[in-house]
Amino acid sequence: MAESLQSAAAMGVTLDAAQEAALLRLLDELELWARAYNLTAIGDRASMITHHLLDSLSVAPYLHGTRIADLGTGAGFPGLPLAIACPERQFTLVDSTAKKIRFIEHAVRTLGLGNVRAVHARIEQLPDLAPAPAWDTVLARALAPVDKLLPLVRPLCGPETRVLAMCGRRPDAELAALPAGWRLVSLHSLQVPGLDAERHLLVFATT
Ligand code: SAH
């Protein structure tokens, strides 16, 4: 099992033994809770490692700054694996579904993660709830297509914020017609070990 996680090194992510153990423990807890609370679709262990852990970790080299928001995090992906891999950054995980936030709070307690805050809210309400300075990085995996995502997160972004949108196939049509006020900073084709599917990371900033 641990060997599968060592393939994270191929993506530029180095994990020590304690981090590997925490990541695998996270999957154990997710499996338990998912069965009890119908939390998320759970596949076999190998595909959970690939889809939930390695796919989340694949964006670690692209995180910017220390204050990271994972919006529409679901049961904590990609936010929880990234928080385990990057203890020096602070993560705020947001979802509108209460039972998913309860799982994240449970995982935070069980794994002793001091750098994760879970917020039960709709993204649209966040500017009111958290009038903090803009995030350094806003993450979104499987939340919304680019033309919906960027306007949704706009109130949370300042000039230095980077929005990291994780997607499957490269959304060429959407990139050709970005919402006003946004630019594509970079586009990365990601190789996730064991994942036989196209993965792309889009990095956006406001203009
Ligand atoms: N990022 C996770 C979950 C993706 S599913 C993963 O990749 O596994 C999308 C999640 O976004 C769901 O959990 C849903 O509850 C949440 N969501 C959708 N619209 C939202 C909104 N406006 N505000 C907060 N959460 C939202």
Side-chain angles (χ1 to χ4, degrees):
M1 204 64 73
E3 276 176 20
S4 327
L5 273 181
Q6 278 163 17
S7 59
M11 306 186 298
V13 182
T14 42
L15 302 166
D16 63 26
Q19 288 168 319
E20 283 194 18
L23 288 162
L24 296 173
R25 178 79 196 276
L26 174 62
L27 286 194
D28 295 340
E29 297 299 326
L30 182 64
E31 279 184 275
L32 283 174
W33 277 57
R35 282 205 194 91
Y37 300 107
N38 191 23
L39 206 57
T40 180
I42 292 292
D44 58 78
R45 184 81 175 180
S47 62
M48 284 179 72
I49 288 182
T50 318
H51 185 77
H52 286 303
L53 298 185
L54 294 175
D55 189 56
S56 294
L57 294 174
S58 70
V59 302
Y62 305 96
L63 294 177
H64 162 76
T66 55
R67 298 175 62 252
I68 319 283
D70 179 14
L71 304 182
T73 185
F77 299 91
L80 284 175
L82 288 170
I84 292 169
C86 311
E88 71 288 0
R89 303 184 205 263
Q90 304 300 318
F91 291 81
T92 298
L93 277 46
V94 181
D95 205 279
S96 54
T97 305
K99 65 181 177 181
K100 297 184 177 179
I101 292 299
R102 277 200 296 277
F103 170 72
I104 295 170
E105 287 168 345
H106 165 76
V108 164
R109 275 194 307 274
T110 306
L111 301 173
L113 299 177
N115 62 335
V116 177
R117 189 165 67 107
V119 177
H120 177 214
R122 291 191 59 77
I123 296 158
E124 295 83 341
Q125 296 162 342
L126 271 186
D128 303 334
L129 294 177
W135 304 100
D136 296 321
T137 295
V138 167
L139 285 165
R141 186 178 85 160
L143 175 60
V146 168
D147 57 342
K148 301 242 168 14
L149 175 71
L150 295 178
L152 180 64
V153 305
R154 180 66 185 89
L156 304 168
C157 297
E160 305 303 325
T161 305
R162 293 291 177 267
V163 177
L164 271 52
M166 301 170 67
C167 57
R169 295 183 61 179
R170 203 168 94 172
D172 287 317
E174 292 166 38
L175 293 177
L178 284 186
W182 288 97
R183 65 190 168 93
L184 180 68
V185 176
S186 55
L187 187 157
H188 309 272
S189 169
L190 301 181
Q191 302 294 329
V192 179
L195 191 67
D196 187 19
E198 273 189 70
R199 302 299 289 151
H200 286 92
L201 175 66
L202 313 174
V203 182
F204 298 101
T206 56
T207 54

